[in-house]
């Protein structure tokens, strides 16, 4: 971290500032230029509040030169992390996986959708049993019965499942029931108690970007999970809120290569929530694949008009199948060895 000192600061004030920093266990490096004085603060500066320093009279500006996320940082862990999702399915480091299924678990149609997405090449079944809805009057999910249906489908098809956990008090239930992957939804991306609770388990966590979350906030959310011991974190770009109203969210495709640069964790794209409309989902899925995502999460429903949630963005199984064939071709193109 560096602190840029105002030109008006006196030698006494500068000395006092340096002593104040050093009294907190940091080393300093003062560099006096013609136009400005810079104090380098050396040590684990994650505990320093940059705003507190900036509030001091003699400080012009404070900048972090190293990121506050350590465990998720590629600098300290250059190789890609590969997460074992169960049932022999690996994600990251060249292993590309597609998670597909309905937004909500609704009943007997789950197994029908699951069979179809598996036949098209999906390797992880998704479905929400506990739903984070903007309105308390909207459908809230089947709860534990939904988990039963997911587990039955998982057993029949020998494929892992990913489903959202909303409440820290439910985490143990998910672990006891053997849920393969816990999803933290966009609305809970900064629910720090929930992040810490899933961090105490070893179950893979699919961590979605917050509704208006920055890339750094997503990485800090991952850091919360990892700092409790669970290193099996998969990040998900699912679109962010912008001024644009033609789509449900704005798909930040940039985030995929940016995250690959900053972190070793696998990154998946969710073109369903990113766009909000079935007619755009395929194209966004192609873009995420081409951008180097380690996987995709796509909502598929056998009868979108009847879906209990997010029918407007669901792909029919036939459209999903077509998308999967093209996604395989895009993967071939971007991983081809051109000599
Ligand atoms: C979902 O996956 O159905 C979901 C609610 O996603 P998000 O948290 O990204 O909105
Ligand atoms: Mn949904």
């Amino acid at each position: 971290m560096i602190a840029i000192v105002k030109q008006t600061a006196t030698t006494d004030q500068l000395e006092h500032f340096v002593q104040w920093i050093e009294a907190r266990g940091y080393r300093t490096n003062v560099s006096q230029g013609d136009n400005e004085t810079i104090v380098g603060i050396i040590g684990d500066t994650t505990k320093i509040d940059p705003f507190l320093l900036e509030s001091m009279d003699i400080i012009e500006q404070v900048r972090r030169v190293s990121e506050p996320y350590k465990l998720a940082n590629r600098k300290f862990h250059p190789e890609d992390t590969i997460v074992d999702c169960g049932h022999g399915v690996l994600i990251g480091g060249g292993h590309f996986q597609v998670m597909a299924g309905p937004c909500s678990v609704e009943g007997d149609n789950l197994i029908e959708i699951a069979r179809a997405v598996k036949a098209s090449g999906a390797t992880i079944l998704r479905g929400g049993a506990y739903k984070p809805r903007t309105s308390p009057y909207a459908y809230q999910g089947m709860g534990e019965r939904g988990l039963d249906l997911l587990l039955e489908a998982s057993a029949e098809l020998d494929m892992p499942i990913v489903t959202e956990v909303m409440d820290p008090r439910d985490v143990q239930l998910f672990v006891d029931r053997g849920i393969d992957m816990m999803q933290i939804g966009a609305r809970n991306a900064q629910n720090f108690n929930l992040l810490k609770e899933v961090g105490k388990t070893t179950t893979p966590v699919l961590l979605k970007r917050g509704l208006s979350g920055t890339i750094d906030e997503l990485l800090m959310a991952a850091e919360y999970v990892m700092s409790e011991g669970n290193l099996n974190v998969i990040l998900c770009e699912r679109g962010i809120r912008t001024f644009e109203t033609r789509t449900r969210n704005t798909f930040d495709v940039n985030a995929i290569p940016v995250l690959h640069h900053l972190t070793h964790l696998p990154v998946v794209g969710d073109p369903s929530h990113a766009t909000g409309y079935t007619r755009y989902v395929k194209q966004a899925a192609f873009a995420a694949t081409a951008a180097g995502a380690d996987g995709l999460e796509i909502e598929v429903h056998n009868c979108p008009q009847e879906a209990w949630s997010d029918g407007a963005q669901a792909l029919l199984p036939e459209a999903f199948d077509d998308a999967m064939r093209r996604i395989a071709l895009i993967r071939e193109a971007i991983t081809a060895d051109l000599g």
Side-chain angles (χ1 to χ4, degrees), residues 103-125:
C103 178
S104 298
V105 178
E106 301 167 354
D108 293 341
N109 61 342
L110 179 72
I111 188 66
E112 192 186 321
I113 299 168
R115 286 183 192 131
V117 298
K118 177 168 179 168
S120 300
T123 43
I124 301 172
L125 175 64

Side-chain angles (χ1 to χ4, degrees), residues 102-104 126-128 131-133 164 183-188 206 208-209 211 236 238-239 248-249 270 273-274 297 299 309-310 313:
C103 178
S104 298
R126 71 142 283 148
K131 295 303 300 176
R133 306 307 299 281
E164 178 159 354
Q183 175 167 312
I184 303 286
R187 290 156 196 79
N188 272 318
L206 179 67
K208 297 190 114 185
R209 184 172 178 179
L211 298 177
C236 180
R238 47 77 74 203
R248 182 173 180 183
N249 289 295
D270 169 351
H273 295 86
E297 186 180 37
E299 288 184 346
S309 61
D310 286 352
Q313 65 194 33

Side-chain angles (χ1 to χ4, degrees), residues 109-177:
N109 61 342
L110 179 72
I111 188 66
E112 192 186 321
I113 299 168
R115 286 183 192 131
V117 298
K118 177 168 179 168
S120 300
T123 43
I124 301 172
L125 175 64
R126 71 142 283 148
Y130 296 82
K131 295 303 300 176
R133 306 307 299 281
T134 301
S135 163
Y137 309 118
Y139 174 62
Q140 303 286 312
M142 285 185 101
E144 236 186 304
R145 175 78 192 120
L147 298 184
D148 291 338
L149 291 169
L150 284 163
L151 289 162
E152 283 165 23
S154 166
E156 179 189 313
L157 299 169
D158 185 21
M159 72 197 294
I161 50 176
V162 56
T163 189
E164 178 159 354
V165 62
M166 286 173 47
D167 189 324
R169 293 167 297 186
D170 289 339
V171 170
Q172 194 53 47
L173 170 74
F174 277 53
V175 171
D176 292 345
R177 300 299 308 270

Side-chain angles (χ1 to χ4, degrees), residues 299-311:
E299 288 184 346
V300 178
H301 199 281
N302 59 322
C303 184
Q305 294 81 357
E306 302 293 330
W308 294 1
S309 61
D310 286 352

